[in-house]
């Protein structure tokens, strides 16, 4: 006898326990913009995000162990090893955007990392930087200095997280750039297994855990259009929505345009047609 027990909800994902050692991570078709989940779903978004995570987990196995055990037949779920999760979010930035840009404008630094002067919004950094944050249970993640992070996970583990996170980002950003997608920044979650070994968990290099920018529209000195969510943001702002709950319903042209953007990101990055993935999710793992 076995039962799947719901153990957690994210804004757009659900987590279930399969048994004592295994979890099922299910990506829904829900979409959030300006931190609000919208009432309208984007068909196939969950399958696109799960397929992308699977693709990257398979391709980064040589850099670090990961929690992926297999993809569900439905293409939207991942069977994972259950880990002891580490209490920091591992953020890597290759470009100056979002809270990194805000912090740089105020102080010239991001998470205690001093940057050269004269950088513009969305500029590429001289090298990728590691800017970990707290894992807030409510509200927003807060930046951590290296010292604070070391106090949370230990100095040795911190150094390993920084090295592995930068290696992962550099590999994926290089691959994405060859397909015309700039991976501006990304967030990882890690855990440890029963032997205390570091294991990469959660989702990786999806448009929900990373900023994807279309390279052919890249222009530093301004904020960049999001590869996946720009139609939704533009539509929501055109309504004069104040970005508080509840968000607006989306018209069908915005839904279909956004769905096409997710499929395009999936196909460019994996080199696999979404139709083929839908019929046989394991194709992204080889
Ligand atoms: C991931 C999350 C989601 C809600 C816990 N391999 C793992 N072992 C232990 N814990 C986790 C994982 Cl991935 C774990 N989350 C994030 C995901 C819904 C929360 F789909 N929380």
């Amino acid at each position: 006898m076995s039962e799947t027990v719901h153990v957690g909800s994210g804004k757009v994902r659900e987590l279930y326990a399969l048994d004592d050692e295994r979890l099922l991570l299910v990506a829904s078709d829900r979409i959030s913009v300006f931190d609000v989940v919208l009432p309208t779903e984007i068909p196939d978004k969950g399958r696109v995000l799960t397929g992308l995570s699977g693709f990257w987990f398979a391709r980064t196995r040589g850099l670090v162990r990961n929690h992926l055990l297999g993809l569900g037949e439905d293409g939207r779920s991942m069977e994972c090893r259950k880990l002891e999760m580490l209490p920091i979010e591992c953020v890597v930035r290759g470009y100056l955007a979002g809270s990194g840009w805000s912090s740089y404008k105020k102080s010239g630094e991001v998470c205690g990392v001093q940057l050269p002067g004269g950088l513009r919004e969305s500029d590429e950094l001289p090298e990728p930087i590691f800017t970990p944050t707290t894992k807030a249970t409510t509200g927003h993640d807060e930046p951590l200095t290296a010292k604070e992070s070391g106090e949370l996970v230990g100095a040795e583990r911190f150094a390993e997280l920084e090295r592995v996170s930068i290696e992962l980002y550099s590999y994926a950003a290089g691959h994405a750039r060859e397909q015309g997608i700039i991976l501006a920044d990304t967030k990882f979650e890690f855990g440890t297994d029963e032997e205390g070994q570091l294991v990469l968990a959660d989702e990786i290099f999806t448009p929900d855990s990373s900023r994807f920018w279309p390279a052919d529209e890249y222009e530093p000195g301004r904020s960049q259009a999001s590869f996946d969510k720009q139609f939704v943001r533009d539509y929501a702002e055109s309504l004069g929505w104040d970005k508080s709950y509840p968000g607006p319903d989306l018209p069908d042209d915005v839904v279909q345009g956004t769905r096409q953007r997710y499929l395009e990101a999936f196909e460019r990055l994996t080199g696999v047609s979404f139709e083929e993935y839908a019929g046989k999710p394991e194709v992204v793992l080889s």
Side-chain angles (χ1 to χ4, degrees):
M1 275 282 287
S2 64
E3 255 191 302
T4 303
V5 178
H6 187 239
V7 292
S9 290
K11 279 207 299 275
V12 302
R13 300 179 302 157
E14 304 296 333
L15 193 60
Y16 299 85
L18 293 171
D19 56 40
D20 289 350
E21 282 130 41
R22 297 175 309 142
L23 297 172
L24 193 70
L25 217 138
V26 183
S28 74
D29 290 340
R30 298 192 294 275
I31 185 169
S32 76
V33 271
F34 307 117
D35 269 341
V36 175
V37 178
L38 301 185
T40 311
E41 297 191 331
I42 307 298
D44 299 318
K45 174 176 179 276
R47 289 198 288 179
V48 162
L49 268 63
T50 295
L52 279 171
S53 275
F55 169 79
W56 292 115
F57 277 130
R59 264 152 197 78
T60 59
R61 224 160 248 151
L63 295 177
V64 62
R65 290 174 185 81
N66 66 62
H67 74 164
L68 179 65
L69 295 171
L71 296 175
E73 289 292 332
D74 59 8
R76 72 164 62 247
S77 57
M78 264 178 6
E79 194 186 301
C80 310
R81 268 210 289 167
K82 187 169 159 186
L83 306 168
E84 203 68 61
M85 298 302 285
L86 292 171
I88 69 175
E89 304 261 18
C90 292
V91 178
V92 179
R93 301 169 183 277
Y95 292 76
L96 204 43
S99 64
W101 167 240
S102 302
S103 171
Y104 175 77
K105 273 191 295 184
K106 283 179 206 142
S107 67
E109 58 177 60
V110 185
C111 288
V113 181
Q114 187 69 44
L115 293 173
L119 294 175
R120 298 159 296 174
E121 182 173 16
S122 310
D123 259 333
E124 184 171 15
L125 298 173
E127 59 190 348
I129 59 171
F130 184 58
T131 60
T133 69
T134 58
K135 278 189 192 179
T137 37
T138 56
H140 269 111
D141 297 341
E142 298 292 338
L144 287 166
T145 62
K147 184 165 179 284
E148 291 167 331
S149 301
E151 284 162 8
L152 285 168
V153 300
E156 207 175 317
R157 185 71 79 189
F158 177 75
E160 185 183 18
L161 289 169
E162 173 165 28
R163 176 181 59 78
V164 169
S165 295
I166 299 265
E167 283 177 6
L168 287 165
Y169 171 81
S170 298
Y171 166 72
H175 175 87
R177 191 66 190 76
E178 288 169 12
Q179 321 306 327
I181 294 174
I182 293 174
L183 229 160
D185 50 39
T186 197
K187 179 171 83 178
F188 306 112
E189 293 198 31
F190 290 91
T192 55
D193 64 15
E194 37 307 310
E195 295 173 349
Q197 299 264 23
L198 188 66
V199 183
L200 179 59
D202 209 60
E203 60 178 338
I204 60 165
F205 303 122
T206 68
D208 280 2
S209 66
S210 313
R211 275 194 183 81
F212 284 24
W213 294 339
D216 61 357
E217 293 170 32
Y218 174 64
E219 190 184 293
R222 57 164 173 83
S223 67
Q224 306 301 299
S226 156
F227 194 97
D228 49 306
K229 288 180 177 170
Q230 202 57 43
F231 295 146
V232 178
R233 291 197 181 131
D234 290 349
Y235 173 75
E237 291 199 302
S238 77
L239 298 175
W241 173 47
D242 68 359
K243 300 172 186 178
S244 71
Y245 178 86
D249 283 304
L250 301 176
D252 199 53
D253 63 319
V254 173
V255 172
Q256 290 311 320
T258 301
R259 175 178 179 275
Q260 282 307 324
R261 295 295 280 179
Y262 280 108
L263 265 53
E264 188 180 342
F266 175 90
E267 294 186 343
R268 281 208 217 172
L269 291 169
T270 65
V272 171
S273 79
F274 180 71
E275 184 170 278
E276 190 188 349
Y277 174 74
K280 201 170 184 292
E282 322 85 79
V283 293
V284 296
L285 303 181
S286 55

